[in-house]
Amino acid sequence: MKTNKKIEAFTLSEIIVVLILTSIVVGLAFSVLGLVQKQMIAIQANYNKSLELQKLETSLWLDFNRYPNIRYDATEDQLVLKHELDSISYTFSKDFIIKAQDTFAVPLETRQFYFDGVASETNKVDAIKLRVTKAYQNRELFIFKKNDATLYMN
């Protein structure tokens, strides 16, 4: 007596179809992964730019309210902040701003200095308006301080 036992299995053509479909799905997954990585890199770059701008703004706010005497020197392109015991300066360049050991990699498009609401170039300063380039979405920073009576005495 002959026993004819067939083993149930997949045929070669079925296995090839499954492998082709699997390779298509894996290929799509890797292409989507590449797009997601590019998007994450762009988000990280925007976050770093925003953080650098925020650091500059915070530093300017703190120094504007800490130092009573603020002047802009156009020849050296420096904003000099002074009080009786200490002084600090911000040096402006096209692509960055230097404050002591800090360098803010913020490219400026325009900068304007004000005293009592009037534009000032080489005199006393109580407000500053900075506009950054398109890489930073053309954001504007406006930093000011309230003047006290001692500023007007001399």
Side-chain angles (χ1 to χ4, degrees):
M1 184 156 149
K2 245 180 171 185
T3 60
N4 194 0
K5 284 191 170 182
K6 279 190 164 181
I7 300 174
E8 290 189 26
F10 295 108
T11 63
L12 184 60
S13 60
E14 290 173 335
I15 292 176
I16 290 175
V17 167
V18 168
L19 287 175
I20 290 172
L21 290 175
T22 303
S23 64
I24 290 172
V25 169
V26 169
L28 289 173
F30 275 114
S31 66
V32 168
L33 178 66
L35 292 173
V36 168
Q37 285 177 334
K38 286 179 185 176
Q39 206 57 10
M40 290 301 293
I41 289 169
I43 289 170
Q44 182 68 35
N46 283 338
Y47 175 75
N48 288 340
K49 288 177 182 178
S50 177
L51 185 64
E52 190 74 16
L53 196 59
Q54 190 175 22
K55 285 180 188 177
L56 173 63
E57 184 177 22
T58 302
S59 178
L60 282 169
W61 272 112
L62 289 173
D63 289 340
F64 257 69
N65 290 303
R66 186 178 299 150
Y67 295 94
N69 187 3
I70 304 171
R71 295 187 182 273
Y72 176 67
D73 183 5
T75 57
E76 305 234 355
D77 208 10
Q78 279 188 336
L79 183 69
V80 181
L81 301 97
K82 294 181 182 179
H83 64 62
E84 298 81 25
L85 302 174
D86 193 17
S87 71
I88 194 153
S89 67
Y90 288 83
T91 305
F92 296 98
S93 176
K94 183 180 179 188
D95 296 327
F96 53 87
I97 299 170
I98 299 172
K99 172 197 169 188
Q101 283 88 20
D102 294 335
T103 301
F104 301 100
V106 177
L108 295 178
E109 192 172 286
T110 61
R111 60 184 173 272
Q112 295 173 318
F113 302 97
Y114 299 95
F115 184 72
D116 280 340
V118 179
S120 170
E121 278 299 317
T122 57
N123 258 343
K124 296 177 182 178
V125 174
D126 65 358
I128 183 172
K129 181 179 179 181
L130 303 173
R131 172 176 235 150
V132 294
T133 59
K134 286 183 181 179
Y136 289 79
Q137 291 94 25
N138 287 334
R139 287 187 47 196
E140 286 187 357
L141 301 179
F142 187 76
I143 291 92
F144 65 93
K145 72 173 192 140
K146 292 185 179 180
N147 295 324
D148 57 358
T150 58
L151 188 65
Y152 300 103
M153 292 176 122
N154 293 330

